[in-house]
Amino acid sequence: GENVEQHPSTLSVQEGDSAVIKCTYSDSASNYFPWYKQELGKRPQLIIDIRSNVGEKKDQRIAVTLNKTAKHFSLHITETQPEDSAVYFCAASNTNAGKSTFGDGTTLTVKP
Amino acid sequence: NAGVMQNPRHLVRRRGQEARLRCSPMKGHSHVYWYRQLPEEGLKFMVYLQKENIIDESGMPKERFSAEFPKEGPSILRIQQVVRGDSAAYFCASSLRTSGGYTQYFGPGTRLTVL
């Protein structure tokens, strides 16, 4: 089955700096890669996603890159703000199989 | 358009009792997924269902756990004879399959505490 590894497990940055979270996956059939943000005690919420026919996608301060050959994808947050502090999860899925496999999460702390 | 609904939000059970968790998907969504999240840990896949069918239950413990998604009504995750180790947040998500992929939208979760 699919295996997703996420690094780092914790990340602390100064407000205004950039944050990068990386994930690798094992199943070359995976073709959909969402990122979720989960604040303490709340539900995971989708912040950005990328499909395997695209190498990069950007939405304001958030971008995701995908390298299918190397089987890794990354989340980039620029100009971080304290409200970006949360746990971020990556996931990989094969849309034919249905389920998503999640990484173990990265706890991002943005210090004012 | 209401999002994914889960109830109850908090559930307390004593060891040996049954826990029944309900999930109503977003309108128009026919795919439901259940995940378990232990404190300060990630989301672990349990089961994927479509209406009246279990598609993938590879993450579900073989005993005491069952799930269903009937033709009418919410999806139910049932845990029989609960033990302390079952204490966790249980999230469901729903999706609308499209040819280009799909996005899972999560409910607020049910926090189960086993005394």
Side-chain angles (χ1 to χ4, degrees):
Chain A
E2 175 67 277
N3 181 49
V4 176
E5 294 190 359
Q6 184 171 345
H7 299 280
S9 56
T10 60
L11 179 60
S12 182
V13 300
Q14 208 66 37
E15 183 177 0
D17 288 349
S18 295
V20 180
I21 303 170
K22 299 181 180 181
C23 288
T24 61
Y25 61 99
S26 61
D27 188 351
S28 56
S30 289
N31 57 3
Y32 176 66
F33 308 92
W35 286 88
Y36 290 87
K37 175 184 179 182
Q38 186 178 30
E39 297 176 350
L40 190 63
K42 297 193 176 180
R43 75 184 79 189
Q45 291 199 305
L46 179 78
I47 55 171
I48 196 168
D49 58 11
I50 192 168
R51 290 175 170 79
S52 58
N53 58 346
V54 175
E56 183 174 358
K57 183 176 178 180
K58 190 174 181 181
D59 182 4
Q60 299 183 341
R61 296 186 297 111
I62 295 172
V64 58
T65 58
L66 171 65
N67 184 328
K68 284 179 58 180
T69 303
K71 296 200 195 72
H72 67 70
F73 55 113
S74 301
L75 177 71
H76 304 253
I77 307 174
T78 58
E79 300 172 24
T80 54
Q81 301 166 3
E83 49 266 38
D84 294 330
S85 296
V87 180
Y88 291 81
F89 294 98
C90 64
S93 61
N94 175 348
T95 54
N96 292 321
K99 74 178 187 184
S100 292
T101 302
F102 282 78
D104 287 337
T106 296
T107 300
L108 173 64
T109 303
V110 180
K111 293 182 282 188
Chain B
N1 187 9
V4 180
M5 308 290 284
Q6 285 186 254
N7 67 81
R9 296 290 305 278
H10 300 274
L11 182 61
V12 179
R13 285 288 178 265
R14 296 191 180 279
R15 282 179 295 170
Q17 292 184 319
E18 177 179 287
R20 191 172 295 205
L21 289 61
R22 287 176 288 277
C23 170
S24 296
M26 285 179 69
K27 187 177 180 180
H29 287 192
S30 58
H31 301 257
V32 166
Y33 315 80
W34 285 94
Y35 296 86
R36 177 163 63 178
Q37 186 175 40
L38 294 170
E40 299 187 12
E41 292 193 10
L43 293 154
K44 299 303 179 189
F45 168 80
M46 299 182 72
V47 62
Y48 163 37
L49 311 102
Q50 295 179 24
K51 286 282 188 181
E52 300 184 277
N53 284 306
I54 296 175
I55 306 302
D56 184 341
E57 56 182 348
S58 58
M60 194 110 87
K62 294 280 187 285
E63 297 178 355
R64 302 188 298 108
F65 286 72
S66 63
E68 62 177 9
F69 189 15
K71 186 176 180 181
E72 301 291 337
S75 176
I76 306 285
L77 178 68
R78 183 184 303 164
I79 310 172
Q80 296 178 303
Q81 300 174 352
V82 296
V83 301
R84 288 219 173 103
D86 296 332
S87 295
Y90 292 83
F91 288 94
C92 83
S94 72
S95 73
L96 171 64
R97 291 288 293 271
T98 66
S99 59
Y102 61 92
T103 299
Q104 295 183 23
Y105 296 91
F106 282 83
T110 293
R111 280 149 186 81
L112 172 66
T113 302
V114 180
L115 301 176

